[in-house]
Amino acid sequence: MIALRVALGIGLLFIVSLIIFGATELLPGDLAQQLLGQGATPETLAALREQLGLNDPAPVRYWNWLSGALTGDFGVSLSNGRPISELIGARLGNTVFLALYAASLAVPISLVLGILAALWRNSIFDRAANAGALTAISFPEFFVAYILVLWLAQTGIFPSMVRINPTTTFGDRIYMTFLPALTLTLVVTAHMMRMTRAAIINLMASPYIEMARLKGLSPLRIVLRHAVPNALAPIINVIALNLAYLITGVVVVEVVFVYPGLGQLMVDAVSNRDIAVVQAVALIFAAAYIALNLLADVLSTITNPRLMHRR
Amino acid sequence: MSFAVSVIIGLAGLFALAAALRAAARAGLSGRARSIANDIPLTAAFGLLVIAIYAAVAIAAPALAPFAEREIVGNQFEAWSAEHLLGTDRIGRDMLSRLIYGARNTVGIAFATTALAFVVGSILGLWAALTGGWLDQVLSRIVDAFMSIPALIFSLLLLTIFGTSVLTLILVIAAVDATRVFRLARAVAQGIVVMDYIEAAKLRGEGAWFLIRREILPNALAPLVAEFGLRFCFVFLTISSLSFLGLGIKPPTADWGSMVRDNATLITFGDITPLLPAGCIALLTVAVNFVVDWQLYRASGLKE
Amino acid sequence: MTKLRIPAMPLSRRGVLKGAAAVTAAGLILPHTAGAARAQSRGGTFRVGIGHGSTTDSLDPGLWENLYVQTFAAARHNYLIEVGADGQLLPEIAESWDTDDGTNWVFTIRQGVTFHSGKDVTAEDVVASINHHRGEDSTSVVKPLLAAITDVRADGNTVIVTLEAPNADLPYLMTDYHVPIMPGMDGRIDPASTDGCGGYIVESFEHGVQSTLNRNPNYWKSDRAWFDRIELVSILDPAARLNALITGEVHLIDQVDPATIGMLEGRGVARILSIPGNAHYGFPMDSRAAPYNDNNIRLALKYAIDREAMVDVILGGHGAVSNDNPIGPANRYFNTEMEMKTYDPDRARFYLREAGLDSLDVTIAVADAAFSGAVDAGAMFSETARAAGINMTVNRVPNDGYWSNVWLNPNGDTPFCATYWGGRAVEDHMFTTAYAAGADWNESFWSNDRFNELLVAARSEVNEELRREMYMEMQQIVSFEGSTIIPMYNNYVMAVANEIGTPEQISANWNFDGFRCVERWWMA
C-alpha cells in the first residue's frame, strides 16, 4: 500500500508541475518583459526572448524542462543565469530549519493545551486558553510579527531581522530566528489546539469512555489512555497540515524578518515569470506536502485497525 | 493605557449585558427556547450577543456611520475627537465609518466564502470517504495536487489570471479553502464509514446521498463545525495577506483585513490605530468560536 | 515641511562641452570640498537596508533597474563621468572630454586605474563596456538611448565616440548607471562578472538577500570610499526597514513611509534626508482613445485633482506640487513662469462643458507598483473629481506585472493609469524618452507637431538664450496640451542613523546621493 502511495505521489508531482507550468503560462506578460520592466522596447524584448529561448512553443519548453529535471538537472535561473540547485540549496535549509524550530515549539504546546482544555472543559482555563489562542490567530501574521518586534526587538532582547549565513553557529541561529519561530508558533497553535480539544471531546460521550468512567478511572487517565489514542487520526491530520504550512506558506514571515527562505524565492520567481525556478520550488513544496500527508495517512491507519482491513 | 482600560471595560460590559439577557430569557421564555437559555454558558451568550451586534451594524451601516464610506472628511491621521470618534485614516476618511462599513463588506465576504467552501468541500469529502475506491483516489489526488501548492501563492496566481473583483476573490479563496475542508471531512468520515450502522444502512439499500445526509454528516458535524469557526476568520487573514502582496479588495471599499495592512507600520511606534480593525476581527473570531464551542459541546452529548 | 530648494547654479553649456575645465572650477567652489573639511574618517561598516531587490536580479548591467542593484553597482564600479552632488559633471574614468561640434567626442582615459582583478583600465575596456549596450543582439535597457552612437573606437588612451547627429548632452548619457566600466575581453565584457574599478571589492552576494563588499586598497580616489566595509541588505517590507533602522541593524533606509516620519524623528536615532529632485508621480492618459483624445477632457481632469493635498497626504509633505511638468526643479531650464493649475471644480466643469458634456465616467487603473501610495492617490483623485461632476472608478490592479500589462498597455483597456519617473538630469533626455512622438515609452501616445519640432531644434541649438526659450515653450505645451497629469514631484526620502556623516549637499540626481552614499558618506 505504501509503495502504491509513493508511486501516486510521484504521479502527483508530475500533475503539480503541469498545473504550475500552465498557470504561469496564463499569467499576463513573460520573463523578458519583467526583466526589462519599464525599459522594455519591442526590439530589446525580441532580442532577450531569443536569448532566453522564450520563443519556443510552450509544450517544447515544458518538455525541455521536464527532461532536464528527470535527469536531476534543474537548469539555471533564466533571469540571472545561476544554477537553480545553488539558488535553492541554502534557502531550503533555512526553510526546513525554521519549520522544525516552529513545530518543536508549537506541537507540544498545542497538544498539551488541547488535552488540558478537553480535560478541564468549560473551565476558566479552557475559556482563557481558547480566547487567547483565537485572539492570536485573528491577527494577520505580519501584524503578530510587528507586535513581537515592538515588544521584544525594539527593547533589544532579540534582533528585529535575521542575519544568518552558512557559518552562523547553531546557537546563534536559534537565538536569531526566535522571533520568526515564535510568530509562526502563535499562528499555528490555535488551529492544532482546538482540533485536539474538539477531537477528544467528540469521543467523551462514547460508551467505552462511559465504561472507563464507571470503572472509576481518573479523568486524566481516561483522556490520555482512552480518548487520545482514538482521537489521533484527526489530530495527526491537522498537525501534518500545519507542518506543511510551515514549510510552504511562510512567505509573509520571511518578508517581515528578511529571512532567506523558499517562499520569497517562489513569489519573486512567479512575479518575474522565471518558470524554471517556479517549477523547482513548487516541486519541493509539493514533495514536502505529499510526504507529510503520506506519513499522516500511514499513522492514522495504524491508529485505527479498522481502516487496515477495509473491504 | 487608557485604551486598554476602555477595552477591558467594554468587554466586561458586553459580558454583563449577555448575562442580563440570558437571565431575562430564562425568566421570560418557555418551552424549548427556555431550555436552551437554561443551558447556554455565559461565553456562548456573549458570543451570540457580539454576533448579533455585528449583524445589526452590518445591516444598518449606512444609518449608523456618521460619514460615507469613501468620503474624505479631514486631514491624514487626525486624533480621536468629538467629530471623528476614532480619528481619520491615511487619506483623511473617518475611521469609525470605515470600520462600520467594513463590518458589512468583510463579514459578508467571509461568510459567503466560508459557506461556499464548506458546502463544496464537505459534500465531496464525505462522498469520497463513503464511496472509496477509484472515486476517492481521483478526488483525493486532485485535492492533494491543489493543496500541495501553497495557498497564498496559488491565490496570487489565480487572482492575477482572473482579476480581483469581489466575486473572483470569493470564488478563489473558497476554492482554495474547499480543498482543506475536503481533506478534513474525508478524514473524519473515514472513521465513521467503517462503523456497523453504516454497513447496516448500506445493506438496507440506502443511497449515497441519504447516507451522507442522515448517517455520516450528523456524526461528522462536530469537527466540521469547529473547523468552520476557524476557517471563517482565516478568510479575513487571507484578504489581509493578499493585500500584503498588493492584491485584495478594491478601494475605496472598506474591509478590515486591508485596513490592518494599510495602517500596520504605525504599530512600529506603538500607535494603536491598526489595532482597531484587528480588534474587530479578533472579537468576532472569539465570539463565533465561543458559540461553536457551545454547539460542539451540545453535539458531543456530554451532560456533566 | 520641506519646501522646494533651488539647486546650485546650473551648468553652463560650455561646461558640458569642456569637461576638464568645469572640473577645475568645480574643485574651487563646490560645497563638496566644504563638506570634506568636516571630520571625515576612515573605517566602520556601513549597513544599508534597501526596499528593493529580488532573487531574480541580474548582474548584467543592461538589465539593472532597482535601487538595490544600482547601489551595489555604485559601490564596485566607476563610470566614465560622475554627476557631482550639485549636478556638475565630474571626471571619473574619463580624465577629460572634448568635442568638435557635438558629433565627434574624445574621452581621455585616466591612467593608473586598475580593476579589482589587478588589470589596468584601458580604452579598450571602455569601448567594450559601451558596446555592451549597442548592436543587434544587445538586450540592454539603454540601447535606445545610445542608438544615436554610430561608432566607438579606442585610439591610444582615448576613446572616440561618433554620433549620427550633434548632441550636446552626450557626456550626461555616459553617466547613466547602466554603463559602468568593466574589463573587456576580445571587445566584450562578461556581464556576469562582479569585477570593477570602484571603491569596494565584492566579498559575497546573494540576489535579493544581501551583499558584502570590502574597501579597495588600491582605489585611485583618496577622498572617497571612507568605510572599510559595506553591507547591502534587501528589506522589502516598510515596517521591517523602519524596525531595522530603529534597532540599529542598518544605518540607512530608503522609502520611509510618510505617515511615520514624525514618529521616527521623535525617536532621536536617525535623521531624515528629504532631497528634492526631478522624480515625479503621474497619471498618463492614452491620448488616442476617447474621451482622452479631447484636450478639454484632459484639462478638466487636470483641474479636478488636488495637488496640494496629494503632496501633503501621499508624500507627507516631502515633495512639491507639479504643474503637469516632467521637467523638475533640479533641471537647468525648469519653467516656473507658467500659470499654476490648482484644484478648481468649477473650472473642471467649464472644460467638461467645452467638451460638450455634463458629466464624465472614467476608470483609473492603479497599483502601488506604479508608485508607493498610488492606490491612495487614486482614491483621493476620485473623491476630488466627484465634486467636478467626474465619476472616477478606481480599479486596483495587481502589483504583479503592472509595468508590462497595465502601463503602456498595447490592448488599450487601461487607457488611464499611474506612472512614476525618476526624472532625468537633462531636459532632452526626459522629453525624448517619454514625450517625443513615437518614442517607445511615450506612455500617453501623445503627439504634438510644435513640440516635436522644438525638441529636435533644441538638441543642437548653441545659443543659450534660444535654447532656454525652446525648453520653456516645450514645458508650456506639455503642461497645457499634454496627456499626462503630473500632480507632484516626490523627494527622495531616506532615514540615516546619527552615527553616519553626510555631506552638506546631497545629490538630487537619483536616490541615495546619486547611489554614491557608499563612497561619499562616512562614519562620524
Side-chain angles (χ1 to χ4, degrees), chain A residues 28-29 33-44 47-48 51 79-80 82 91 146 149 153-154 159-161 163 255-256 258 260 264-265 268-274, chain C residues 47 54-58 63 138-141 143-144 206-207 209-210 231 233-237 239-240 243-244 246-247 249 267 400-401 403-405 407 419-421 440-441:
Chain A
Q33 279 177 327
Q34 295 302 326
L35 285 184
L36 293 169
Q38 207 182 352
T41 66
E43 202 190 336
T44 46
L48 191 59
Q51 192 181 314
S79 49
N80 59 29
R82 291 210 314 174
R91 283 171 179 265
Y146 291 164
V149 166
Q154 287 195 16
S160 71
M161 53 186 265
R163 297 156 57 79
V255 169
V256 171
V258 201
Q264 181 64 43
L265 181 66
D268 276 0
V270 167
S271 57
N272 283 301
R273 317 285 188 260
D274 194 340
Chain C
R47 292 193 299 268
S54 149
T55 44
T56 51
D57 285 341
S58 175
L63 296 177
S138 171
T139 57
S140 172
V141 167
K143 189 173 166 180
E206 193 180 339
H207 297 273
V209 184
Q210 71 165 352
E231 292 182 16
V233 192
S234 173
I235 311 178
L236 300 181
D237 182 51
N243 278 319
I246 292 169
T247 56
E249 299 277 348
R267 287 295 176 93
D400 180 277
W403 294 111
S404 46
N405 311 319
W407 182 77
T419 190
Y420 161 73
W421 284 94
D440 288 321
W441 302 325

Side-chain angles (χ1 to χ4, degrees), chain B residues 70-72 75-77 90-93 156 159-160 163-164 242-252 258 261-262 264-266 268-271, chain C residues 237-239 242-243 246 257-260 263-264 267 312-314 316 366 375-377 379-380 382-384 386 391-392 394-400:
Chain B
R70 52 181 288 182
E71 198 181 356
I72 295 171
N75 293 320
Q76 185 176 30
F77 294 128
R90 177 177 287 271
I91 66 172
R93 292 172 296 206
L156 181 97
L159 288 171
T160 312
T164 52
L242 283 173
S243 73
F244 190 88
L245 297 177
L247 294 157
I249 292 184
K250 289 181 197 294
S258 309
R261 175 63 201 150
D262 286 348
T265 29
L266 295 183
T268 300
F269 297 98
D271 183 303
Chain C
D237 182 51
L242 275 175
N243 278 319
I246 292 169
D257 181 355
T260 57
M263 291 182 262
L264 178 61
R267 287 295 176 93
D312 284 346
V313 171
I314 304 298
V366 289
V375 176
D376 284 341
M380 287 178 72
S382 156
E383 272 308 291
T384 54
R386 209 149 50 110
N391 180 18
M392 187 182 293
V394 181
N395 178 17
R396 177 182 177 165
V397 293
N399 283 335
D400 180 277

Side-chain angles (χ1 to χ4, degrees), chain B residues 155-212:
Chain B
S155 315
L156 181 97
L157 274 173
L158 292 178
L159 288 171
T160 312
I161 294 171
F162 297 118
T164 52
S165 72
V166 169
L167 184 65
T168 41
L169 200 68
I170 290 175
L171 291 179
V172 165
I173 300 177
V176 170
D177 268 5
T179 57
R180 272 80 185 156
V181 178
F182 171 90
R183 226 195 121 76
L184 178 76
R186 179 178 168 272
V188 172
Q190 271 192 330
I192 298 171
V193 292
V194 289
M195 293 289 180
D196 294 338
Y197 58 86
I198 300 286
E199 275 309 304
K202 272 186 185 166
L203 292 175
R204 283 206 310 272
E206 302 288 1
W209 178 235
F210 178 89
L211 286 174
I212 289 175

Side-chain angles (χ1 to χ4, degrees), chain B:
Chain B
M1 271 310 104
S2 65
F3 176 70
V5 171
S6 53
V7 165
I8 291 169
I9 292 174
L11 287 178
L14 280 176
F15 264 108
L17 184 58
L21 285 177
R22 182 176 66 169
R26 279 177 184 166
L29 294 171
S30 60
R32 189 171 148 71
R34 177 168 189 163
S35 78
I36 290 177
N38 277 333
D39 204 33
I40 191 169
L42 184 57
T43 47
F46 167 80
L48 284 175
L49 177 66
V50 169
I51 293 171
I53 292 174
Y54 273 59
V57 167
I59 292 165
L64 289 174
F67 297 94
E69 178 178 14
R70 52 181 288 182
E71 198 181 356
I72 295 171
V73 290
N75 293 320
Q76 185 176 30
F77 294 128
E78 274 183 32
W80 296 9
S81 66
E83 193 187 351
H84 302 290
L85 288 178
L86 298 178
T88 58
D89 75 353
R90 177 177 287 271
I91 66 172
R93 292 172 296 206
D94 183 61
M95 198 75 186
L96 179 63
S97 308
R98 303 274 297 166
L99 282 176
I100 290 173
Y101 277 101
R104 166 178 274 205
N105 301 324
T106 321
V107 177
I109 290 172
F111 187 78
T113 308
T114 325
L116 188 59
F118 266 78
V119 169
V120 174
S122 53
I123 289 181
L124 287 179
L126 299 182
W127 188 34
L130 175 68
T131 315
W134 65 267
L135 179 83
D136 183 27
Q137 283 300 332
V138 169
L139 280 178
S140 299
R141 296 298 83 81
I142 290 174
V143 163
D144 274 353
F146 282 108
M147 280 186 77
S148 58
I149 303 166
L152 197 57
I153 290 171
F154 198 44
S155 315
L156 181 97
L157 274 173
L158 292 178
L159 288 171
T160 312
I161 294 171
F162 297 118
T164 52
S165 72
V166 169
L167 184 65
T168 41
L169 200 68
I170 290 175
L171 291 179
V172 165
I173 300 177
V176 170
D177 268 5
T179 57
R180 272 80 185 156
V181 178
F182 171 90
R183 226 195 121 76
L184 178 76
R186 179 178 168 272
V188 172
Q190 271 192 330
I192 298 171
V193 292
V194 289
M195 293 289 180
D196 294 338
Y197 58 86
I198 300 286
E199 275 309 304
K202 272 186 185 166
L203 292 175
R204 283 206 310 272
E206 302 288 1
W209 178 235
F210 178 89
L211 286 174
I212 289 175
R213 202 160 40 91
R214 298 298 296 276
E215 304 286 351
I216 305 178
L217 195 58
N219 289 296
L221 205 55
L224 284 177
V225 167
E227 183 77 3
F228 185 95
L230 284 185
R231 286 278 153 218
F232 182 66
C233 77
F234 283 172
V235 175
F236 305 108
L237 305 186
T238 307
I239 292 174
S240 191
S241 294
L242 283 173
S243 73
F244 190 88
L245 297 177
L247 294 157
I249 292 184
K250 289 181 197 294
T253 310
D255 91 277
W256 295 335
S258 309
M259 285 169 78
V260 179
R261 175 63 201 150
D262 286 348
N263 300 306
T265 29
L266 295 183
I267 198 73
T268 300
F269 297 98
D271 183 303
I272 47 104
T273 308
L275 276 177
L276 296 171
C280 288
I281 298 177
L283 186 60
L284 181 59
T285 307
V286 173
V288 166
N289 283 286
F290 274 165
V291 176
V292 161
D293 285 348
W294 172 48
Q295 288 301 319
L296 204 60
Y297 189 69
R298 277 161 52 96
S300 75
L302 283 175
K303 285 283 174 269
E304 62 197 88

Side-chain angles (χ1 to χ4, degrees), chain A residues 143-161:
Chain A
F143 199 64
V144 173
Y146 291 164
I147 292 176
L148 290 180
V149 166
L150 174 68
W151 287 342
L152 298 177
Q154 287 195 16
T155 48
I157 303 173
F158 290 98
S160 71
M161 53 186 265

Side-chain angles (χ1 to χ4, degrees), chain A residues 47-254:
Chain A
L48 191 59
R49 285 200 178 114
E50 186 60 42
Q51 192 181 314
L52 297 169
L54 297 179
N55 287 329
D56 295 333
V60 173
R61 278 180 290 129
Y62 181 73
W63 172 249
N64 287 343
W65 171 81
L66 183 68
S67 52
L70 286 180
T71 56
D73 172 19
F74 282 97
V76 295
S77 156
L78 292 176
S79 49
N80 59 29
R82 291 210 314 174
I84 286 174
S85 46
E86 189 185 305
L87 264 179
I88 287 179
R91 283 171 179 265
L92 177 60
N94 290 340
T95 291
V96 171
F97 175 81
L98 183 57
L100 289 179
Y101 190 2
S104 69
L105 296 175
V107 173
I109 291 177
S110 44
L111 285 183
V112 168
L113 285 180
I115 290 171
L116 289 181
L119 186 64
W120 300 325
R121 53 196 167 276
N122 302 337
S123 67
I124 294 288
F125 171 83
D126 180 22
R127 307 267 190 243
N130 245 318
L134 288 170
T135 309
I137 51 160
S138 322
F139 291 138
E141 283 164 48
F142 60 85
F143 199 64
V144 173
Y146 291 164
I147 292 176
L148 290 180
V149 166
L150 174 68
W151 287 342
L152 298 177
Q154 287 195 16
T155 48
I157 303 173
F158 290 98
S160 71
M161 53 186 265
V162 182
R163 297 156 57 79
I164 49 172
N165 57 54
T167 59
T168 312
T169 63
F170 184 73
D172 281 350
R173 261 174 195 259
I174 292 282
Y175 169 67
M176 282 198 273
T177 46
F178 179 73
L179 287 186
L182 184 61
T183 308
L184 290 173
T185 302
L186 289 174
V187 168
V188 297
T189 296
H191 194 198
M192 291 193 283
M193 176 199 124
R194 285 182 58 80
M195 197 46 78
T196 306
R197 176 183 179 280
I200 294 173
I201 289 186
N202 196 32
L203 291 172
M204 290 311 274
S206 311
Y208 70 94
I209 299 278
E210 200 64 30
M211 180 67 198
R213 202 175 289 147
L214 291 176
K215 277 200 308 196
L217 296 183
S218 76
L220 183 66
R221 194 176 157 82
I222 291 175
V223 166
L224 287 184
R225 293 295 303 276
H226 296 265
V228 170
N230 286 293
L232 274 179
I235 295 176
I236 288 171
N237 265 294
V238 162
I239 291 178
L241 264 187
N242 280 290
L243 284 185
Y245 174 77
L246 288 178
I247 289 180
T248 63
V250 299
V251 54
V252 170
V253 171
E254 285 175 12

